[in-house]
Amino acid sequence: MPTQRAIPLSVTMAVTAMVVVVIMGAAVGVLGACTYGVCTSCVATTGCGWCTGTGKCMAGTASGVYVYLTLCWIGFSASVLFPDVEFRAFFWVLFKWNLVINPAITEVFLVPNQALTVPISVYVPPSELQSLDLWISQDITGSMTPDVQMVAMLIPRIISQVRSSRPQANFAYNTFGDKPVLYSGDWGSMAAVDNDFWALAPLQNSYNALQAKVAETVIGWGYDGPESQLVPLAQATCNMQGKYGWRTNSLKMFFTITDANFHYAQENKYQCQAASGQTSLAYLPANNYDCVDDCMTPPCYPVGVILDAAGNTVNQCQYYGTGEDYPSVATLTTHIKGANIYPVFGIINDGGSYTTSVMSQYNSLITSFGYGNVFLIASDSSNVVPYILQGLSVLASTLTMVVATDTYGYVQSISPSTYTSVTPYNTYIFNVKLLATTAVHNTTIYLNVLGWGVATIVVDSVFPCYGCDHVVNSGKIMDKCQICVTLADSNQCLDCKGVPYGITVVDICGICGGSGTSCLDCYGNLNGHAKVDACGVCGGDNSTCYGCFGTPVMAMYDLCGVCNGTNACLDCQQVPYGNKHNDNCGVCGGTNACMGCDYLYTVPPAAYDQCGVCGGNGTSCIDCFGTPYGKASWDKCGVCNGTNKCIGCDGRATVPPLTYDQCGVCGGSGLECLGCNGIKWSHATFDNCSVCQGTNACEDCMGIPYGPYVYDRCGQCVQPGDVEMNDCVGCDNVAFSGAVYDNCSVCHGNNSCFGCDHVAYSGRQYDQCGLCGGTGLSCVGCDGIPWSLATVDKCGVCQGANDCVGCDGVANSGWFYDTCGDCTNNPSELACIGCDGKPWSGAQVDKCDVCLGTDACVGCDGVLYSGKTYDVCGICGGNRACFGCNGVIWDPIQFDVCGVCGGNGSSCMGCDGILNSGRQYDECGVCDGTNACWGCDKVPFSGKVLDDCGICGGEDRAFGCDGVCFSGKVYDQCGICSGNDSCVQCDGKPFSNVTVDQCGECGGHNSCFGCDGKPSALTYDQCGVCAGNNSCLGCDNVPFSGLVVDKCSICGGSNECIGCDGLPGNLAYDECGNCTDDPTYMNDCLGCDYIPFSGKAIDKCGVCGGTNECVGCDDVPFSYQTYDFCGVCAGNNTCLGCDYVPFSGVVEDKCGICGGSNQCIGCDGLPGNLPYDKCGVCGGNNTCYGCDYVPFSNKKYDRCFVCGGDNECLGCDNVPWSGSQYDQCGVCLGNNTCLGCDFVPFSMLIVDKCGICGGTNQCLGCDGKPGNLQYDLCGNCPLTANETNLCFGCDFIAWSGAEYDLCNVCGGDNMCVGCDGTAWSGMTYDQCGVCGGDGIACIGCDTKLWSGKQWDACGICGGNNSTCMGCDGVPNSMEEYDACGICNGNSSCIGCDGSYDNKTNDACGNCGGDVWDSSKCNAQVTTNSLIATGTIIGVTIGCAAAAVAGFFLYKHIRYGANWYIPNSLLDGTASSTTTNPIYENTGGMTNSSLYASPTDS
């Protein structure tokens, strides 16, 4: 556990003051100045340009960030430096106005064609500290009635559950229907209840105000759909006027509840009435998004009139929203992103395909927006609360940055564009890449983090020249200590390693950061000369460990006489300097006798077989007769040296082989080329009547041989008796006349006998409801009016509103929604009430029976009121058992048997286990042993011994094959000792059996012999004849095939090319049996159907054998003219009535009913059956109805949402469903303070001292108090009944004076009392004289009793603070002498060139220069231009310092003056970034240190 150091309050306050200065400097955030060093040249040339923090000038020619107009990156610094929730919450409370998007405003300097990356961070705060603006938009059209009522009852739950995680939430509520125009809403009288947007409650935090506004909701008209869902969303984007109360840094969510599709721009044309009274259709004017719901102007739309201030009559809008069209999706997308509003749609699940199509449309809308959610909620919106919370969860866990305004298109990319699953207390960085490709314009870029806020980038084309103090040409820079100072006063906080505020110092040896040991000799003398010799002896002379080298190495001579050698001179027979080696066969002194013909070393070695194949099996040269090197082989028929006689004309081996038939078909039957007349190639065939070369004369009109089909009078091919036969003949017996009997059996009749049901002679007619044969009652409502659509509700009331239906959907059930929004019939059951009495608070009673308690009464052992706590070791009820013998907590070190703290008991113990015996283990591990395990090489356990030749570990390898040491004799390749390799054959291999053949070839196979058995070049021909001429070959080059060329020049052919004329050429008989190739006579017997002798020709319609069926009634082919139903050729049936009966004379009425009597005409004189409403208004919407749907009842919903109710749900505090009541004294929420003890209001009776209501204290005793107390045996009137006879001792003897001691012994002496004065405590004094002590209070830091030693400020036991004392005499002050020997000095004696010459810069900034007039510096202009390291580093480090100091102050205030800082901060382990990540090398910056040399800082 690291040591911690206390920070006194004075230091904390001083650091806090410094933080304020740092934050002010960071807020300015300017990069650098240009009036010192090389930056001076920029002033004289380009008006300064801009400078880096090291005094190098960019001359205004490169892009960069130079001002962050924000407080600082507190969110980033806090989360990186301190993973402490208290710390982050503390800083969030201080700086929440500026922490979500940081920096809020970034000012940049752009140069054409030089890219610049600007990091913008978004800090995610905890939900309880981030504000939320939630807007609910409610569809109130008729189909949404149960949903509106449900949402009204759920408002308390929505507010409480949202605020449980986001207490800073504000809520807004609006309703919508549709625009009151024809085709979308209703016209005229519906305007009072139909509107495209009602803003009932703007964003606010008042629960009561919101609930009251929701209670004012009136259900609108319409089940038509779509509605005006997009109009409220467009209105909500109008926050530039502060119209609706959106807050700048809040999350913004817009939740729409609806069951219908949405209207969009130019979806429909609407009816407009012109001045002439004529109506026309036109689009509404385009929406101008000006936050005004415009009205349409007269006479297109009616308006009311009012008087202005001057008394003039002016138009007053009555129908809001009629003057502009719905929003377009594309423009609305721009507006909601610009307003940072997160859209969510809750779609009512009415089931079926309509809901599916609605969900699909809204999912497409969200895709167009690029963000948002669509949820499918319950049919009555009862589960809308979790979906609101789910939408909020998605919004709070998603960060998406988009470009809102970028006039010149400088933003090239945003990376990444989206973060998902973000978590509180973390910072997320968006890198915005900027690039200007033309001249830079001063402009402002707005970037929206959707639903979260706005980041602003101000682009400048000219860079100013400020110092870090924001003073022009001040010359001040932000030094490495992050202090805004001049160059001469900079970097005074660096330690000897150059670390800002580091604590590294020079040790006693003069080494920076040294351990103080580098100048000590091995005896510990400062600058002493004693050294450790090679044997490890301090001041030694190496004599204790020298070996054969004469050096401190225990080296020995090997068998070759080499000191510390490796016996490298031994040969394979282990003979020193011998000449024997292992050959490739592993034989010592061998000659590679195991090498075979494959030149590989194997046992046995590979040899040539009888076929001359190395390693072969002797079969590769054997022919099918078994003769080595014979020429015989297997033919395709499996015959050795055969001639493939089994190969047929198909090329396959079969027995017998296939041959060609007379038709030239391989394997054919010889019948394929014969005609039915038995003549080859005559092509004569049987017709369908089985007649050879017949004409199918037996076929009927359907082509069926001997079939029954014939042509009828209509030219149709039918069977006699078929129902379709002659079906073109009318009832007038004329073909194609079209004359038919009507349903009244009259030829050419008009069905005059039909009723409205189209049934002959039924006599039925349409009733008043337009129903054929109806009773006239089917369209009558429960109010007796046709088409009124009035119905009886569940309560049995005509046009009722189901007022008696409980929340369970059952009439008169008595079930209702309670305060918790639960459907119940028990007012006392409030499941959402916590122990604190608040709905949805979630408050519970802890184990100690305390509401919202923290189980404070539970001990660390989990037992109630046990009083046990964790000791400093973290042990429940422990006694510091975690301290080691060195007094250090958690150090497991204990005293060993030798009395050594942390020892292992070995320091004083011999190998025999006896303390201080002095015995030790030898090299064999034997206690007090003699190294008996050594081998002859004196290596423990090597096992080596001297062999028979006297060689240590030699294993007799020095013997020759004759058994004589060092004889050098070896076995030859034949295994004979000193042999001459007599077994080696002509191939040079032993025992290979390879000999020289008759051709003189070693291992040869007489390859020079010919087929005559002698050395020659003779071979066998294909016929197997030695030196033959292949005389057995057929024309197919197959031996013994016997094939010859036929008259057609085909090898093996059968003269198939001979035609019917007996000549080659394949001339064949035509289909008519003619042997000719003259086109004039070929196939001259064919009809148009290509059938010989069929006699068929083509008719007028181009049909072979046709009957001119395509000829119309006008005798023109393909005119398709026919007789109409009136008997007219090419007529248009002008004689038909609307009942499609010729000459009936029946027509449609105005209602579109054939033969109707205009029964659909409504009260407005137009089709549609528009009725009078119950208020007597034609087409009205019953606006005279009360909420009970009774005309002129004037009933309204009360605050309990009860129609005509008297606010019965109101408590005496006037709050719905509060349950508050008047007490018996008439006081609201009173406690009946006026009641007497008889519980009668204002009776004034009280209880006497005897507890009797209205009594007279008759029970008073001798003490004047109730109880009838009597004088005791001691003559005293006891104060209480328990103090009777006080003169008796514990021995029950009056005036004996005997008492119980603390041990509860009568007359005892307190023997059980501990040193703490508590009976039975068992407490005693420890070795330090402390009662109940742990015996360590008197132990010093050196673990000795009463030593008095303590840890000094430097952490040294018994120290005097000298090891960490600064030059100012203060421990840990870190004050040091500077290079000039001045304590805490600034090395002022060092000149500008770093030496002790006191040199200074002249007027041109040249060190040691002699120019005193700055006007003479023009000739010394420097062209090197370097980009600034940027304010990002300065601001971030400054903010980090501010964060640390502020947190120290916060912890100090909360925990007192002795709050500790971890050493990790004071030891200088924190590092800061020295490179700037925002720049991007795009070329043209070769002189910039930030581009070319990252180490130049």
Side-chain angles (χ1 to χ4, degrees):
M1 184 173 182
T3 306
Q4 297 177 326
R5 305 172 190 167
I7 300 296
L9 179 59
S10 59
V11 174
T12 304
M13 297 303 291
V15 172
T16 304
M18 178 195 73
V19 169
V20 174
V21 175
V22 171
I23 291 177
M24 292 175 65
V28 173
V30 182
L31 267 177
C34 297
T35 59
Y36 64 90
V38 295
C39 269
T40 305
S41 62
C42 298
V43 179
T45 56
T46 62
C48 174
W50 58 297
C51 307
T52 68
T54 56
K56 298 176 181 179
C57 183
M58 202 54 221
T61 59
S63 303
V65 178
Y66 67 94
V67 176
Y68 282 103
L69 298 180
T70 181
L71 181 60
C72 62
W73 290 1
I74 292 297
F76 178 81
S77 303
S79 61
V80 172
L81 295 177
F82 287 95
D84 186 315
V85 175
E86 273 187 347
F87 174 86
R88 293 183 233 161
F90 162 73
F91 271 95
W92 174 252
V93 172
L94 288 182
F95 303 113
K96 65 182 180 181
W97 59 271
N98 198 38
L99 271 184
V100 174
I101 297 180
N102 207 357
I105 302 176
T106 307
E107 192 165 359
V108 302
F109 174 58
L110 285 184
V111 170
N113 297 313
Q114 292 186 9
L116 174 66
T117 300
V118 178
I120 296 176
S121 68
V122 179
Y123 176 72
V124 179
S127 60
E128 65 271 14
L129 296 177
Q130 186 176 22
S131 57
L132 165 70
D133 290 337
L134 173 60
W135 186 319
I136 298 175
S137 181
Q138 175 71 61
D139 184 342
I140 59 166
T141 53
S143 59
M144 291 290 292
T145 300
D147 302 272
V148 173
Q149 296 171 346
M150 177 63 70
V151 172
M153 287 185 287
L154 291 177
I155 287 296
R157 182 180 295 185
I158 293 172
I159 293 176
S160 62
Q161 291 210 11
V162 170
R163 283 188 173 166
S164 66
S165 61
R166 296 187 180 273
Q168 302 185 53
N170 283 358
F171 300 87
Y173 180 82
N174 79 268
T175 60
F176 64 87
D178 204 352
K179 292 181 180 294
V181 293
L182 196 60
Y183 301 138
S184 57
D186 194 9
W187 189 278
S189 61
M190 282 306 295
V193 292
D194 203 0
N195 202 329
D196 60 356
F197 174 68
W198 285 279
L200 294 183
L203 286 158
Q204 55 190 302
N205 58 9
S206 171
Y207 160 73
N208 290 331
L210 180 64
Q211 183 76 339
K213 287 296 183 182
V214 173
E216 295 176 7
T217 303
V218 177
I219 303 299
W221 183 257
Y223 291 79
D224 52 341
E227 311 296 354
S228 63
Q229 290 87 344
L230 301 189
V231 172
L233 184 53
Q235 285 285 332
T237 64
C238 302
N239 203 44
M240 63 286 293
Q241 296 94 345
K243 189 172 182 177
Y244 298 118
W246 294 107
R247 291 173 288 180
T248 302
N249 291 316
S250 65
L251 294 180
K252 302 171 183 66
M253 189 170 84
F254 191 94
F255 197 102
T256 301
I257 305 174
T258 184
D259 64 348
N261 289 332
F262 57 86
H263 282 300
Y264 50 88
Q266 294 199 338
E267 177 186 8
N268 290 309
K269 293 182 179 180
Y270 301 99
Q271 184 169 313
C272 175
Q273 185 167 351
S276 62
Q278 297 296 319
T279 58
S280 62
L281 295 178
Y283 291 117
L284 291 178
N287 197 308
N288 56 11
Y289 304 93
D290 61 352
C291 305
V292 177
D293 212 9
D294 296 331
C295 276
M296 191 179 293
T297 57
C300 186
Y301 212 72
V303 296
V305 294
I306 59 172
L307 297 178
D308 62 9
N312 300 315
T313 299
V314 295
N315 290 330
Q316 169 66 27
C317 181
Q318 289 182 315
Y319 306 99
Y320 288 100
T322 59
E324 60 182 355
D325 204 349
Y326 299 98
S328 72
V329 174
T331 307
L332 181 59
T333 300
T334 302
H335 280 268
I336 63 172
K337 287 184 177 179
N340 263 320
I341 295 174
Y342 188 82
V344 182
F345 294 92
I347 308 304
I348 304 303
N349 187 2
D350 291 330
S353 59
Y354 180 71
T355 298
T356 302
S357 69
V358 172
M359 284 292 292
S360 176
Q361 185 177 24
Y362 282 98
N363 281 319
S364 298
L365 179 63
I366 288 300
T367 301
S368 299
F369 287 164
Y371 69 117
N373 294 103
V374 180
F375 299 122
L376 186 63
I377 62 178
S379 59
D380 61 351
S381 299
S382 57
N383 63 345
V384 71
V385 179
Y387 282 113
I388 290 176
L389 298 178
Q390 185 176 344
L392 178 58
S393 174
V394 175
L395 167 59
S397 62
T398 305
L399 300 175
T400 299
M401 179 177 283
V402 299
V403 178
T405 302
D406 183 13
T407 304
Y408 299 102
Y410 290 157
V411 177
Q412 302 299 303
S413 64
I414 301 174
S415 179
S417 61
T418 299
Y419 287 97
T420 57
S421 302
V422 302
T423 54
Y425 300 115
N426 286 307
T427 299
Y428 300 87
I429 305 296
F430 292 95
N431 291 307
V432 182
K433 181 179 179 181
L434 305 178
L435 178 65
T437 57
T438 60
V440 180
H441 300 273
N442 292 340
T443 186
T444 301
I445 299 171
Y446 295 101
L447 305 169
N448 285 352
V449 182
L450 297 179
W452 288 70
V454 181
T456 303
I457 299 178
V458 179
V459 178
D460 289 338
S461 58
V462 178
F463 198 95
C465 185
Y466 293 116
C468 57
D469 55 357
H470 207 52
V471 176
V472 177
N473 300 327
S474 68
K476 290 189 176 181
I477 64 167
M478 193 68 66
D479 69 356
K480 293 183 179 179
C481 306
Q482 296 307 307
I483 299 175
C484 185
V485 295
T486 61
L487 182 63
D489 296 328
S490 63
N491 301 324
Q492 296 185 12
C493 67
L494 305 183
D495 63 3
C496 63
K497 286 188 175 180
V499 177
Y501 302 104
I503 60 172
T504 307
V505 298
V506 178
D507 66 1
I508 59 176
C509 302
I511 305 299
C512 178
S515 62
T517 61
S518 59
C519 59
L520 302 180
D521 65 3
C522 59
Y523 288 123
N525 297 326
L526 185 65
N527 298 316
H529 299 291
K531 297 181 179 179
V532 178
D533 70 358
C535 301
V537 179
C538 181
D541 59 357
N542 302 323
S543 61
T544 58
C545 63
Y546 270 42
C548 59
F549 277 144
T551 59
V553 178
M554 291 301 294
M556 301 176 60
Y557 289 99
D558 68 354
L559 296 177
C560 303
V562 178
C563 182
N564 202 34
T566 59
N567 296 318
C569 67
L570 300 181
D571 65 1
C572 61
Q573 291 183 340
Q574 300 300 306
V575 176
Y577 303 103
N579 61 354
K580 297 296 184 182
H581 303 282
N582 286 325
D583 67 358
N584 292 324
C585 302
V587 177
C588 181
T591 59
N592 298 318
C594 65
M595 185 178 72
C597 59
D598 54 359
Y599 299 101
L600 299 178
Y601 301 97
T602 57
V603 176
Y608 288 99
D609 65 0
Q610 64 175 340
C611 300
V613 177
C614 181
N617 59 5
T619 62
S620 60
C621 61
I622 303 299
D623 67 1
C624 59
F625 287 128
T627 304
Y629 299 101
K631 302 298 181 177
S633 61
W634 298 98
D635 70 355
K636 295 182 180 180
C637 302
V639 178
C640 181
N641 209 28
T643 58
N644 297 315
K645 291 183 178 180
C646 66
I647 303 301
C649 57
D650 59 352
R652 297 180 181 179
T654 57
V655 178
L658 294 181
T659 60
Y660 289 98
D661 65 0
Q662 64 174 341
C663 299
V665 178
C666 181
S669 63
L671 301 176
E672 285 87 343
C673 60
L674 296 181
C676 62
N677 54 8
I679 302 174
K680 285 201 312 180
W681 308 111
S682 67
H683 300 291
T685 59
F686 289 97
D687 67 358
N688 293 332
C689 302
S690 300
V691 177
C692 182
Q693 292 185 314
T695 60
N696 297 315
C698 65
E699 290 183 350
D700 62 5
C701 59
M702 289 291 288
I704 300 174
Y706 308 103
Y709 288 88
V710 295
Y711 285 104
D712 66 358
R713 292 173 60 189
C714 304
Q716 302 177 113
C717 184
V718 295
Q719 277 186 304
D722 195 311
V723 294
E724 295 181 357
M725 190 168 186
N726 300 317
D727 59 359
C728 67
V729 178
C731 60
D732 54 359
N733 201 31
V734 177
F736 302 106
S737 67
V740 295
Y741 289 98
D742 67 0
N743 291 315
C744 302
S745 301
V746 177
C747 185
H748 274 303
N750 61 358
N751 294 318
S752 57
C753 65
F754 270 38
C756 60
D757 57 355
H758 299 286
V759 177
Y761 306 105
S762 69
R764 291 193 175 184
Q765 297 180 347
Y766 288 99
D767 67 0
Q768 64 173 343
C769 301
L771 183 65
C772 182
T775 61
L777 300 176
S778 60
C779 62
V780 178
C782 61
D783 54 0
I785 300 173
W787 303 109
S788 67
L789 303 180
T791 59
V792 178
D793 70 355
K794 293 182 181 179
C795 304
V797 178
C798 181
Q799 284 195 319
N802 295 315
D803 294 335
C804 67
V805 178
C807 58
D808 57 353
V810 179
N812 303 305
S813 68
W815 286 67
F816 62 94
Y817 286 100
D818 62 9
T819 304
C820 301
D822 295 324
C823 185
T824 180
N825 63 352
N826 188 352
S828 63
E829 292 182 358
L830 296 175
C832 66
I833 304 300
C835 63
D836 55 357
K838 297 178 182 179
W840 307 107
S841 67
Q844 296 180 348
V845 177
D846 71 351
K847 295 179 181 178
C848 306
D849 204 28
V850 176
C851 183
L852 290 173
T854 59
D855 300 328
C857 67
V858 180
C860 59
D861 55 356
V863 180
L864 294 177
Y865 304 105
S866 69
K868 288 189 177 182
T869 60
Y870 288 97
D871 67 357
V872 70
C873 304
I875 300 174
C876 183
N879 61 351
R880 299 168 58 90
C882 61
F883 283 83
C885 60
N886 57 357
V888 178
I889 189 171
W890 297 117
D891 196 328
I893 296 178
Q894 304 292 331
F895 289 102
D896 69 354
V897 294
C898 301
V900 178
C901 180
N904 59 4
S906 62
S907 58
C908 62
M909 186 175 293
C911 62
D912 54 358
I914 301 174
L915 292 175
N916 303 310
S917 69
R919 293 189 174 184
Q920 297 180 347
Y921 288 98
D922 67 358
E923 293 188 32
C924 302
V926 178
C927 183
D928 206 24
T930 60
N931 297 319
C933 65
W934 281 9
C936 60
D937 53 357
K938 295 187 177 181
V939 176
F941 304 106
S942 69
K944 289 187 177 182
V945 297
L946 294 174
D947 67 358
D948 292 339
C949 294
I951 299 174
C952 181
E955 299 179 353
D956 298 327
R957 289 190 297 269
F959 280 98
C961 62
D962 56 356
V964 178
C965 288
F966 308 112
S967 69
K969 291 185 178 182
V970 296
Y971 290 96
D972 67 357
Q973 296 186 58
C974 305
I976 300 173
C977 185
S978 291
N980 60 356
D981 298 324
S982 58
C983 64
V984 177
Q985 304 299 317
C986 66
D987 56 357
K989 298 176 182 179
F991 307 110
S992 66
N993 293 322
V994 177
T995 59
V996 178
D997 68 358
Q998 297 181 49
C999 298
E1001 181 181 357
C1002 179
H1005 303 284
N1006 299 320
S1007 58
C1008 62
F1009 278 53
C1011 60
D1012 56 355
K1014 302 176 181 178
S1016 68
L1018 297 180
T1019 60
Y1020 289 97
D1021 68 356
Q1022 296 184 51
C1023 303
V1025 178
C1026 183
N1029 61 356
N1030 297 316
S1031 59
C1032 67
L1033 297 182
C1035 62
D1036 55 355
N1037 286 323
V1038 174
F1040 308 106
S1041 68
L1043 295 182
V1044 295
V1045 177
D1046 69 355
K1047 295 179 180 181
C1048 301
S1049 301
I1050 297 175
C1051 179
S1054 58
N1055 300 314
E1056 293 177 359
C1057 65
I1058 303 302
C1060 60
D1061 56 356
L1063 299 176
N1066 281 319
L1067 181 63
Y1069 291 97
D1070 66 3
E1071 294 186 34
C1072 299
N1074 302 320
C1075 181
T1076 179
D1077 56 359
D1078 186 345
T1080 304
Y1081 300 103
M1082 285 184 67
N1083 297 316
D1084 52 2
C1085 65
L1086 299 181
C1088 60
D1089 55 356
Y1090 297 101
I1091 296 175
F1093 310 105
S1094 69
K1096 289 187 177 181
I1098 298 174
D1099 68 356
K1100 293 181 180 181
C1101 304
V1103 177
C1104 180
T1107 58
N1108 300 316
E1109 293 180 358
C1110 67
V1111 178
C1113 62
D1114 56 355
D1115 200 34
V1116 176
F1118 302 107
S1119 68
Y1120 302 108
Q1121 299 294 343
T1122 60
Y1123 292 96
D1124 67 359
F1125 288 108
C1126 304
V1128 178
C1129 181
N1132 57 1
N1133 296 312
T1134 55
C1135 66
L1136 297 182
C1138 62
D1139 56 356
Y1140 297 101
V1141 175
F1143 310 105
S1144 68
V1146 180
V1147 296
E1148 286 188 358
D1149 67 358
K1150 295 181 180 180
C1151 304
I1153 298 176
C1154 183
S1157 57
N1158 298 318
Q1159 295 180 358
C1160 68
I1161 303 301
C1163 59
D1164 55 355
L1166 299 175
N1169 279 317
L1170 183 66
Y1172 290 95
D1173 68 359
K1174 293 186 178 181
C1175 304
V1177 179
C1178 180
N1181 63 346
N1182 299 318
T1183 54
C1184 65
Y1185 275 42
C1187 60
D1188 56 355
Y1189 294 95
V1190 177
F1192 308 106
S1193 69
N1194 292 322
K1195 286 189 178 181
K1196 298 181 179 179
Y1197 286 99
D1198 66 358
R1199 295 180 62 188
C1200 306
F1201 216 81
V1202 176
C1203 181
D1206 56 357
N1207 296 315
E1208 292 181 355
C1209 69
L1210 299 183
C1212 61
D1213 56 358
N1214 205 33
V1215 176
W1217 311 109
S1218 68
S1220 59
Q1221 298 178 349
Y1222 291 98
D1223 67 358
Q1224 297 183 53
C1225 305
V1227 179
C1228 182
L1229 293 173
N1231 58 2
N1232 297 315
T1233 55
C1234 69
L1235 298 183
C1237 60
D1238 55 355
F1239 297 101
V1240 177
F1242 308 108
S1243 69
M1244 308 301 290
L1245 292 183
I1246 60 173
V1247 178
D1248 69 357
K1249 295 182 180 180
C1250 301
I1252 299 175
C1253 181
T1256 57
N1257 299 318
Q1258 294 180 2
C1259 64
L1260 299 183
C1262 62
D1263 56 353
K1265 297 180 180 179
N1268 287 313
L1269 187 62
Q1270 305 295 321
Y1271 288 98
D1272 64 3
L1273 298 177
C1274 301
N1276 299 321
C1277 183
L1279 296 179
T1280 65
N1282 295 326
E1283 295 180 356
T1284 306
N1285 302 320
L1286 294 179
C1287 64
F1288 281 72
C1290 60
D1291 53 1
F1292 299 101
I1293 300 174
W1295 313 106
S1296 68
E1299 297 179 349
Y1300 286 100
D1301 67 359
L1302 296 176
C1303 306
N1304 204 28
V1305 177
C1306 184
D1309 58 357
N1310 295 319
M1311 292 183 62
C1312 68
V1313 177
C1315 61
D1316 57 350
T1318 303
W1320 311 107
S1321 69
M1323 300 287 279
T1324 59
Y1325 290 98
D1326 67 357
Q1327 62 180 343
C1328 300
V1330 178
C1331 180
D1334 53 8
I1336 65 172
C1338 58
I1339 297 177
C1341 59
D1342 57 354
T1343 71
K1344 297 180 180 178
L1345 288 172
W1346 307 108
S1347 70
K1349 289 187 177 181
Q1350 298 180 349
W1351 298 97
D1352 69 355
C1354 306
I1356 305 299
C1357 182
N1360 59 0
N1361 301 324
S1362 61
T1363 58
C1364 64
M1365 190 170 296
C1367 61
D1368 56 354
V1370 178
N1372 297 310
S1373 69
M1374 295 183 290
E1375 301 290 351
E1376 303 172 0
Y1377 289 101
D1378 68 356
C1380 305
I1382 301 174
C1383 182
N1384 199 28
N1386 59 2
S1387 301
S1388 56
C1389 64
I1390 304 299
C1392 58
D1393 57 355
S1395 61
Y1396 296 92
D1397 57 7
N1398 288 310
K1399 284 185 179 180
T1400 60
N1401 292 320
D1402 66 0
C1404 297
N1406 298 320
C1407 184
D1410 56 359
V1411 179
W1412 306 104
D1413 184 356
S1414 60
S1415 63
K1416 299 180 180 180
C1417 298
N1418 290 340
Q1420 302 179 15
V1421 172
T1422 303
T1423 59
N1424 290 340
S1425 302
L1426 298 168
I1427 283 184
T1429 54
T1431 56
I1432 295 176
I1433 300 172
V1435 172
T1436 303
I1437 298 178
C1439 294
V1444 174
F1447 185 46
F1448 293 160
L1449 174 59
Y1450 164 68
K1451 288 288 190 177
H1452 180 88
I1453 293 172
R1454 178 165 183 175
Y1455 301 115
N1458 288 325
W1459 184 73
Y1460 295 101
I1461 302 176
N1463 273 343
S1464 61
L1465 289 182
L1466 297 180
D1467 291 343
T1469 57
S1471 63
S1472 62
T1473 304
T1474 59
T1475 59
N1476 189 340
I1478 68 172
Y1479 298 106
E1480 182 175 319
N1481 188 353
T1482 58
M1485 305 179 191
T1486 56
N1487 295 325
S1488 169
S1489 63
L1490 291 183
Y1491 284 84
S1493 179
T1495 59
D1496 182 6
S1497 58

